[in-house]
Amino acid sequence: MKSMFRKCLKYINIYSLNDVFTPAVAAKYTYIRRTSLESEFKKNYDLPGKQIILYGDSGSGKTTLVYNTVSNKDYIKTICTSDDTFDTLIKNAFAQMELYYTESFSGQASSSVGIDTGAVSAGLSDTITSNSKILLSPQLRIQNLAKEFGKRKQKWIIEDVHKLPVPDRERLASALKVFADASNDYPETKIICLGAVDSPRNILSLDTNLKGRVAEIKVPLLSKEETKSIIIKGCKLLNISMSDELQQSIINASNKLASQVHQMCYDICCAKELYLTRFKSLHLGEECYKIAVDAYLSAHSDSLGLEYEKLVSDLIEKQLLQIIILANQEKVSLEYLRRRFKSINAKTDDDAIYAAINKLSSSDNPILRYDPLTSRCSISTPIWGAFIRIRMDNEPAEYDIYSKEQSPILKIVKNDLEAVLYRSLLEIVKKNSFML
């Protein structure tokens, strides 16, 4: 029996949960192809001299797109933090190349500049008296850096560019021009910038002479079909299945964030101790959704939870958030909000609505984003959207914008007509003392 079991295992691919659902790193086995987006990126990636800016919401799949498209040997990666400057980026790139510059040599009166590759690991020549170090001239450093990238036929991928201070982002924008110019001699030279913003202007402000030499590519959030594909593909690799209801709950709560889909599926699998591909298939039902909700709220209680409690204190603010979430639109007009509030409480005036919008959109970590030019507002980030959706599911009474006796069916209301019809039905039932 053991011998037969071992023979069967030879024909079964065993996958680790950590490789299947990957909320913190780029997806590999559960990568979902986005054909048109991949084609646009690859076209500009292969085009000599073309620098690239990838932008979009955090968790939309920018990093996953890049690392599933390029070869591991083709790039050097730098990840920015809020403590970084342009100079630290340069030093990081030089260090990864093990490339250092020396200022002086013994027995020589001149201070000519030479290149010492691998000086740290290989040791300096006996003729060198000074330590190898990077020169102080930023322009000289970036020009030499572009040249070295060109010689190695490598690209420079810089993640989280939006975290750099504005002056340093301006210097990075100038570096794009240096790399673009270097491509005349080294066609492979290229910088790829990734930033979690809704506009490329919020990453780098480019000179007009760079417009045709930089591709600005937006990475949108996943569609519901793409989100579902992650779940199906991951379940297949682990030899498990999830009910349609559970899949739909995860899709809705994720707010189209790929990273959130991975996180919720990962939390469910961990709770069920599904760490490797199962020999015998296992089905997971809707009851597992609470596992993902509890894990998410626990993980974000200190960050989003505290900020939420500080900002959302009145009923009208909770009503406002639910109206926007249930609208299932990217942006909601003030006129739409007025109509919805009137259907809830005719006494709600415009001043109260404006005050709620202003409060939720003016903090350091705003929940809402309001555009005065178009008189439209939206949830500021998909992460906030996912948090509010999950909180709505976990505490429905807190977000009950109609009556405490209402059915949970209102969670899936998508427009005013459905809301009015259902509300009217409730009134008829209450007047006639019927039971639903």
mmCIF file of all heavy atoms in Angstrom, residues 8 43 54 85 95 101 107 117 131 161 165 167 184 186 188 244-245 255 307 312 317-318 324 332 340 373 380 411 421:
data_model
loop_
_atom_site.group_PDB
_atom_site.id
_atom_site.type_symbol
_atom_site.label_atom_id
_atom_site.label_comp_id
_atom_site.label_asym_id
_atom_site.label_seq_id
_atom_site.Cartn_x
_atom_site.Cartn_y
_atom_site.Cartn_z
ATOM 1 N N CYS A 8 1.822 7.017 -6.663
ATOM 2 C CA CYS A 8 0.791 8.002 -6.991
ATOM 3 C C CYS A 8 1.302 9.427 -6.800
ATOM 4 O O CYS A 8 0.998 10.325 -7.589
ATOM 5 C CB CYS A 8 -0.447 7.783 -6.121
ATOM 6 S SG CYS A 8 -1.365 6.282 -6.512
ATOM 7 N N LYS A 43 5.729 45.932 -24.926
ATOM 8 C CA LYS A 43 6.071 46.754 -26.093
ATOM 9 C C LYS A 43 7.036 47.866 -25.698
ATOM 10 O O LYS A 43 8.058 48.083 -26.363
ATOM 11 C CB LYS A 43 4.798 47.349 -26.694
ATOM 12 C CG LYS A 43 5.039 48.288 -27.861
ATOM 13 C CD LYS A 43 3.742 48.932 -28.317
ATOM 14 C CE LYS A 43 3.231 49.928 -27.315
ATOM 15 N NZ LYS A 43 1.997 50.627 -27.760
ATOM 16 N N LEU A 54 4.898 52.877 -14.151
ATOM 17 C CA LEU A 54 3.699 52.076 -13.887
ATOM 18 C C LEU A 54 3.021 52.652 -12.649
ATOM 19 O O LEU A 54 3.648 52.772 -11.594
ATOM 20 C CB LEU A 54 4.067 50.611 -13.627
ATOM 21 C CG LEU A 54 4.372 49.714 -14.832
ATOM 22 C CD1 LEU A 54 4.763 48.327 -14.346
ATOM 23 C CD2 LEU A 54 3.186 49.614 -15.757
ATOM 24 N N THR A 85 16.355 58.790 -0.005
ATOM 25 C CA THR A 85 16.551 59.972 -0.839
ATOM 26 C C THR A 85 17.066 59.493 -2.190
ATOM 27 O O THR A 85 17.356 58.306 -2.379
ATOM 28 C CB THR A 85 17.578 60.934 -0.216
ATOM 29 O OG1 THR A 85 18.857 60.275 -0.169
ATOM 30 C CG2 THR A 85 17.159 61.344 1.185
ATOM 31 N N ALA A 95 25.834 49.449 -4.981
ATOM 32 C CA ALA A 95 26.164 48.345 -4.078
ATOM 33 C C ALA A 95 25.713 47.002 -4.660
ATOM 34 O O ALA A 95 26.421 46.001 -4.542
ATOM 35 C CB ALA A 95 25.517 48.582 -2.719
ATOM 36 N N TYR A 101 33.794 53.457 -6.922
ATOM 37 C CA TYR A 101 34.740 54.372 -7.558
ATOM 38 C C TYR A 101 35.829 54.767 -6.573
ATOM 39 O O TYR A 101 35.561 54.988 -5.395
ATOM 40 C CB TYR A 101 34.014 55.624 -8.051
ATOM 41 C CG TYR A 101 33.134 55.336 -9.224
ATOM 42 C CD1 TYR A 101 31.820 54.896 -9.033
ATOM 43 C CD2 TYR A 101 33.603 55.459 -10.526
ATOM 44 C CE1 TYR A 101 31.009 54.606 -10.104
ATOM 45 C CE2 TYR A 101 32.791 55.163 -11.601
ATOM 46 C CZ TYR A 101 31.495 54.739 -11.386
ATOM 47 O OH TYR A 101 30.693 54.445 -12.449
ATOM 48 N N GLY A 107 51.406 56.637 -5.049
ATOM 49 C CA GLY A 107 52.460 56.850 -6.041
ATOM 50 C C GLY A 107 52.003 57.713 -7.196
ATOM 51 O O GLY A 107 52.728 57.880 -8.153
ATOM 52 N N THR A 117 35.568 47.296 -9.917
ATOM 53 C CA THR A 117 34.406 46.427 -9.852
ATOM 54 C C THR A 117 34.667 45.280 -8.897
ATOM 55 O O THR A 117 35.665 44.611 -8.985
ATOM 56 C CB THR A 117 34.075 45.861 -11.236
ATOM 57 O OG1 THR A 117 33.894 46.945 -12.126
ATOM 58 C CG2 THR A 117 32.810 45.021 -11.192
ATOM 59 N N ASN A 131 40.185 54.174 0.528
ATOM 60 C CA ASN A 131 39.074 53.219 0.444
ATOM 61 C C ASN A 131 38.231 53.509 -0.779
ATOM 62 O O ASN A 131 38.051 54.656 -1.164
ATOM 63 C CB ASN A 131 38.196 53.318 1.691
ATOM 64 C CG ASN A 131 38.920 52.824 2.918
ATOM 65 O OD1 ASN A 131 39.737 51.910 2.815
ATOM 66 N ND2 ASN A 131 38.626 53.428 4.063
ATOM 67 N N VAL A 161 8.012 54.521 -5.669
ATOM 68 C CA VAL A 161 8.624 55.836 -5.917
ATOM 69 C C VAL A 161 7.849 56.945 -5.215
ATOM 70 O O VAL A 161 8.424 57.967 -4.812
ATOM 71 C CB VAL A 161 8.700 56.095 -7.441
ATOM 72 C CG1 VAL A 161 9.150 57.512 -7.729
ATOM 73 C CG2 VAL A 161 9.646 55.104 -8.091
ATOM 74 N N PRO A 165 10.601 61.876 -1.064
ATOM 75 C CA PRO A 165 10.250 63.298 -0.962
ATOM 76 C C PRO A 165 10.197 63.923 -2.356
ATOM 77 O O PRO A 165 10.889 63.476 -3.277
ATOM 78 C CB PRO A 165 11.405 63.883 -0.139
ATOM 79 C CG PRO A 165 11.978 62.718 0.609
ATOM 80 C CD PRO A 165 11.817 61.538 -0.304
ATOM 81 N N PRO A 167 11.409 66.695 -3.739
ATOM 82 C CA PRO A 167 12.679 67.114 -4.382
ATOM 83 C C PRO A 167 13.470 65.928 -4.942
ATOM 84 O O PRO A 167 14.111 66.045 -6.001
ATOM 85 C CB PRO A 167 13.441 67.804 -3.246
ATOM 86 C CG PRO A 167 12.380 68.250 -2.291
ATOM 87 C CD PRO A 167 11.339 67.181 -2.343
ATOM 88 N N ASN A 184 21.280 55.640 -26.502
ATOM 89 C CA ASN A 184 21.848 55.794 -27.838
ATOM 90 C C ASN A 184 23.069 54.893 -28.010
ATOM 91 O O ASN A 184 23.322 54.365 -29.093
ATOM 92 C CB ASN A 184 22.241 57.257 -28.076
ATOM 93 C CG ASN A 184 21.032 58.164 -28.187
ATOM 94 O OD1 ASN A 184 20.054 57.813 -28.822
ATOM 95 N ND2 ASN A 184 21.099 59.331 -27.567
ATOM 96 N N TYR A 186 23.716 52.428 -25.429
ATOM 97 C CA TYR A 186 23.346 51.171 -24.772
ATOM 98 C C TYR A 186 21.822 51.021 -24.816
ATOM 99 O O TYR A 186 21.110 51.497 -23.928
ATOM 100 C CB TYR A 186 23.832 51.169 -23.318
ATOM 101 C CG TYR A 186 25.316 51.410 -23.177
ATOM 102 C CD1 TYR A 186 25.815 52.677 -22.855
ATOM 103 C CD2 TYR A 186 26.230 50.364 -23.352
ATOM 104 C CE1 TYR A 186 27.168 52.899 -22.722
ATOM 105 C CE2 TYR A 186 27.594 50.578 -23.221
ATOM 106 C CZ TYR A 186 28.058 51.843 -22.908
ATOM 107 O OH TYR A 186 29.404 52.057 -22.774
ATOM 108 N N GLU A 188 19.752 48.838 -24.110
ATOM 109 C CA GLU A 188 19.066 48.120 -23.033
ATOM 110 C C GLU A 188 18.813 49.005 -21.811
ATOM 111 O O GLU A 188 18.041 48.626 -20.917
ATOM 112 C CB GLU A 188 19.911 46.907 -22.593
ATOM 113 C CG GLU A 188 20.308 45.973 -23.717
ATOM 114 C CD GLU A 188 19.181 45.028 -24.083
ATOM 115 O OE1 GLU A 188 18.237 44.914 -23.291
ATOM 116 O OE2 GLU A 188 19.267 44.406 -25.157
ATOM 117 N N ASP A 244 -19.882 28.805 -4.296
ATOM 118 C CA ASP A 244 -20.120 30.044 -5.047
ATOM 119 C C ASP A 244 -20.360 31.216 -4.098
ATOM 120 O O ASP A 244 -19.915 32.335 -4.356
ATOM 121 C CB ASP A 244 -21.323 29.874 -5.979
ATOM 122 C CG ASP A 244 -21.039 28.904 -7.120
ATOM 123 O OD1 ASP A 244 -19.846 28.680 -7.419
ATOM 124 O OD2 ASP A 244 -22.002 28.378 -7.705
ATOM 125 N N GLU A 245 -21.055 30.955 -2.993
ATOM 126 C CA GLU A 245 -21.345 32.008 -2.026
ATOM 127 C C GLU A 245 -20.059 32.518 -1.368
ATOM 128 O O GLU A 245 -19.881 33.729 -1.185
ATOM 129 C CB GLU A 245 -22.308 31.501 -0.943
ATOM 130 C CG GLU A 245 -23.703 31.146 -1.429
ATOM 131 C CD GLU A 245 -23.768 29.798 -2.119
ATOM 132 O OE1 GLU A 245 -22.770 29.038 -2.043
ATOM 133 O OE2 GLU A 245 -24.796 29.499 -2.735
ATOM 134 N N ASN A 255 -12.786 44.245 -2.847
ATOM 135 C CA ASN A 255 -12.843 45.544 -3.520
ATOM 136 C C ASN A 255 -11.898 45.600 -4.720
ATOM 137 O O ASN A 255 -11.249 46.614 -4.987
ATOM 138 C CB ASN A 255 -12.514 46.664 -2.533
ATOM 139 C CG ASN A 255 -13.224 47.967 -2.871
ATOM 140 O OD1 ASN A 255 -14.370 47.947 -3.314
ATOM 141 N ND2 ASN A 255 -12.561 49.077 -2.686
ATOM 142 N N GLU A 307 -8.068 54.776 12.927
ATOM 143 C CA GLU A 307 -8.356 55.946 12.091
ATOM 144 C C GLU A 307 -9.846 56.039 11.797
ATOM 145 O O GLU A 307 -10.433 57.123 11.813
ATOM 146 C CB GLU A 307 -7.559 55.851 10.786
ATOM 147 C CG GLU A 307 -7.660 57.082 9.895
ATOM 148 C CD GLU A 307 -6.900 58.268 10.439
ATOM 149 O OE1 GLU A 307 -6.095 58.094 11.372
ATOM 150 O OE2 GLU A 307 -7.125 59.384 9.947
ATOM 151 N N VAL A 312 -15.196 58.373 11.825
ATOM 152 C CA VAL A 312 -16.607 58.006 11.643
ATOM 153 C C VAL A 312 -17.265 57.878 13.008
ATOM 154 O O VAL A 312 -17.204 56.827 13.652
ATOM 155 C CB VAL A 312 -16.733 56.683 10.860
ATOM 156 C CG1 VAL A 312 -18.198 56.366 10.584
ATOM 157 C CG2 VAL A 312 -15.958 56.768 9.556
ATOM 158 N N GLU A 317 -22.336 59.895 8.797
ATOM 159 C CA GLU A 317 -21.065 59.494 8.177
ATOM 160 C C GLU A 317 -21.082 58.018 7.800
ATOM 161 O O GLU A 317 -20.589 57.627 6.737
ATOM 162 C CB GLU A 317 -19.910 59.805 9.134
ATOM 163 C CG GLU A 317 -19.696 61.307 9.323
ATOM 164 C CD GLU A 317 -19.074 61.651 10.655
ATOM 165 O OE1 GLU A 317 -18.734 60.710 11.410
ATOM 166 O OE2 GLU A 317 -18.955 62.850 10.967
ATOM 167 N N LYS A 318 -21.661 57.188 8.672
ATOM 168 C CA LYS A 318 -21.805 55.769 8.353
ATOM 169 C C LYS A 318 -22.756 55.571 7.180
ATOM 170 O O LYS A 318 -22.521 54.744 6.298
ATOM 171 C CB LYS A 318 -22.307 55.005 9.581
ATOM 172 C CG LYS A 318 -21.336 55.037 10.753
ATOM 173 C CD LYS A 318 -21.918 54.372 11.986
ATOM 174 C CE LYS A 318 -20.949 54.457 13.156
ATOM 175 N NZ LYS A 318 -21.501 53.865 14.385
ATOM 176 N N ILE A 324 -22.167 55.113 -0.706
ATOM 177 C CA ILE A 324 -21.114 55.110 -1.729
ATOM 178 C C ILE A 324 -20.674 53.687 -2.054
ATOM 179 O O ILE A 324 -20.511 53.322 -3.219
ATOM 180 C CB ILE A 324 -19.907 55.959 -1.261
ATOM 181 C CG1 ILE A 324 -20.319 57.428 -1.139
ATOM 182 C CG2 ILE A 324 -18.738 55.819 -2.238
ATOM 183 C CD1 ILE A 324 -19.246 58.325 -0.548
ATOM 184 N N VAL A 332 -19.284 58.902 -7.115
ATOM 185 C CA VAL A 332 -20.704 59.145 -6.876
ATOM 186 C C VAL A 332 -20.946 60.649 -6.841
ATOM 187 O O VAL A 332 -20.202 61.392 -6.183
ATOM 188 C CB VAL A 332 -21.151 58.506 -5.546
ATOM 189 C CG1 VAL A 332 -22.603 58.836 -5.261
ATOM 190 C CG2 VAL A 332 -20.953 56.996 -5.593
ATOM 191 N N ARG A 340 -30.372 59.754 -2.329
ATOM 192 C CA ARG A 340 -30.334 58.582 -1.452
ATOM 193 C C ARG A 340 -30.612 58.973 0.000
ATOM 194 O O ARG A 340 -31.324 58.278 0.711
ATOM 195 C CB ARG A 340 -28.966 57.896 -1.553
ATOM 196 C CG ARG A 340 -28.638 57.353 -2.927
ATOM 197 C CD ARG A 340 -29.556 56.197 -3.328
ATOM 198 N NE ARG A 340 -29.216 54.996 -2.600
ATOM 199 C CZ ARG A 340 -30.026 54.376 -1.759
ATOM 200 N NH1 ARG A 340 -31.226 54.856 -1.534
ATOM 201 N NH2 ARG A 340 -29.655 53.287 -1.132
ATOM 202 N N LEU A 373 -14.450 70.079 -8.655
ATOM 203 C CA LEU A 373 -14.705 70.465 -10.048
ATOM 204 C C LEU A 373 -15.872 69.675 -10.647
ATOM 205 O O LEU A 373 -16.666 70.211 -11.419
ATOM 206 C CB LEU A 373 -13.444 70.257 -10.886
ATOM 207 C CG LEU A 373 -12.242 71.131 -10.514
ATOM 208 C CD1 LEU A 373 -11.044 70.790 -11.397
ATOM 209 C CD2 LEU A 373 -12.592 72.612 -10.648
ATOM 210 N N SER A 380 -11.353 56.767 -0.970
ATOM 211 C CA SER A 380 -10.030 57.263 -1.367
ATOM 212 C C SER A 380 -9.116 56.174 -1.911
ATOM 213 O O SER A 380 -8.376 56.404 -2.856
ATOM 214 C CB SER A 380 -9.349 57.952 -0.176
ATOM 215 O OG SER A 380 -9.155 57.023 0.883
ATOM 216 N N LYS A 411 -27.999 44.569 1.370
ATOM 217 C CA LYS A 411 -26.562 44.670 1.143
ATOM 218 C C LYS A 411 -26.220 44.590 -0.326
ATOM 219 O O LYS A 411 -25.168 45.041 -0.751
ATOM 220 C CB LYS A 411 -25.832 43.553 1.894
ATOM 221 C CG LYS A 411 -25.733 43.789 3.376
ATOM 222 C CD LYS A 411 -24.843 42.728 3.971
ATOM 223 C CE LYS A 411 -24.722 42.913 5.467
ATOM 224 N NZ LYS A 411 -23.802 41.933 6.048
ATOM 225 N N LEU A 421 -38.381 50.023 -4.038
ATOM 226 C CA LEU A 421 -39.318 48.904 -4.119
ATOM 227 C C LEU A 421 -39.266 48.055 -2.855
ATOM 228 O O LEU A 421 -40.297 47.664 -2.301
ATOM 229 C CB LEU A 421 -39.002 48.045 -5.346
ATOM 230 C CG LEU A 421 -39.352 48.662 -6.707
ATOM 231 C CD1 LEU A 421 -38.872 47.745 -7.831
ATOM 232 C CD2 LEU A 421 -40.851 48.894 -6.839
#
